[in-house]
Amino acid sequence: MYAVRKTPQRVKDENEIVAAVREGSTEAFGELVQRHQQRVFTILGRYERDRQKVEDIAQQTFIKAWRAIAQYDGRAPFEHWISRIAVRAALDHLRKQKRLRQEVPFSSLGDSVLDWLRSDQQMDSPGAREAREILDLAMSKLSPEDRVVITLLEIEERSVQEIASMTGWSGISVRVRAHRARAKLKKILEKMKEDGR
């Protein structure tokens, strides 16, 4: 009896997959979704903590990508293109979202909230959870554009050039927005601290 050898399936080049999607292949689009869904979820998770809402925004992101696939020119990696769509979908979500105001004690906010948020480790201590709630509340009081620029620049540590590419803003506009957003966030946190006393 002879053993039948299976030829290993060749991993498709992303440009081939995109070409198949342009021809209407939903299977090829499914492959793109599989390849990039973790990245999209990571981006969206920076803007929304509710898992169900993140899934909804991710679905909107991929629907927008499907509809706009003809606009992808291949000059930059597909990951960058889908990341821009995800950031814009998050911005749209923030613009539409009704902000809920909650009373949160300010006593446990530490000096390094942004450092704590940058870490990938889960912090289970009550102080860390309260600090996250306080920062979320303060961020929710910012405009969607201010929230996006603070998240991309301070939490995700993106460069000004990357942010300009993802949002469509000029580099100067990103710097100005970031400066103003930081000042607004500082005032909000100071006010929350005063109100908490």
Side-chain angles (χ1 to χ4, degrees), residues 74-157:
R75 286 185 291 176
F78 187 82
E79 179 181 7
H80 294 179
W81 187 73
I82 195 76
S83 294
R84 280 195 304 275
I85 294 172
V87 167
R88 289 181 181 145
L91 184 56
D92 289 345
H93 167 72
L94 291 175
R95 285 182 179 137
K96 293 174 188 173
Q97 182 182 29
K98 291 182 181 177
R99 290 172 179 85
L100 299 173
R101 310 277 188 221
Q102 299 176 19
E103 293 287 324
V104 180
F106 197 81
S107 59
S108 46
L109 181 63
D111 292 332
S112 58
V113 173
L114 291 176
D115 289 338
W116 168 75
L117 280 175
R118 283 185 190 120
S119 93
D120 290 327
Q121 299 173 354
Q122 292 292 330
M123 303 273 282
D124 291 329
S125 70
R129 281 194 302 271
E130 288 176 8
R132 176 61 190 246
E133 287 175 13
I134 291 165
L135 187 62
D136 282 348
L137 178 58
M139 292 280 283
S140 76
K141 294 181 180 187
L142 293 174
S143 72
E145 292 82 3
D146 289 344
R147 189 170 175 186
V148 164
V149 78
I150 289 284
T151 301
L152 290 174
L153 194 62
E154 301 294 343
I155 298 172
E156 292 188 13
E157 297 181 323

Side-chain angles (χ1 to χ4, degrees), residues 38-106:
Q38 186 58 47
R39 178 73 186 133
V40 167
F41 273 84
T42 299
I43 290 168
L44 298 177
R46 300 283 188 184
Y47 300 96
E48 176 60 61
R49 293 177 67 193
D50 182 316
R51 180 73 178 169
Q52 184 60 50
K53 288 181 182 176
V54 169
E55 288 176 8
D56 291 345
I57 303 166
Q59 184 176 3
Q60 292 168 12
T61 298
F62 286 113
I63 288 170
K64 287 178 183 182
W66 171 264
R67 290 178 179 158
I69 196 74
Q71 296 172 15
Y72 173 67
D73 60 15
R75 286 185 291 176
F78 187 82
E79 179 181 7
H80 294 179
W81 187 73
I82 195 76
S83 294
R84 280 195 304 275
I85 294 172
V87 167
R88 289 181 181 145
L91 184 56
D92 289 345
H93 167 72
L94 291 175
R95 285 182 179 137
K96 293 174 188 173
Q97 182 182 29
K98 291 182 181 177
R99 290 172 179 85
L100 299 173
R101 310 277 188 221
Q102 299 176 19
E103 293 287 324
V104 180
F106 197 81

Side-chain angles (χ1 to χ4, degrees), residues 19-38:
V21 172
R22 285 185 177 141
E23 292 172 7
S25 171
T26 54
E27 185 178 303
F29 188 71
E31 191 167 338
L32 281 178
V33 170
Q34 277 188 325
R35 287 183 179 202
H36 299 284
Q37 67 184 355
Q38 186 58 47

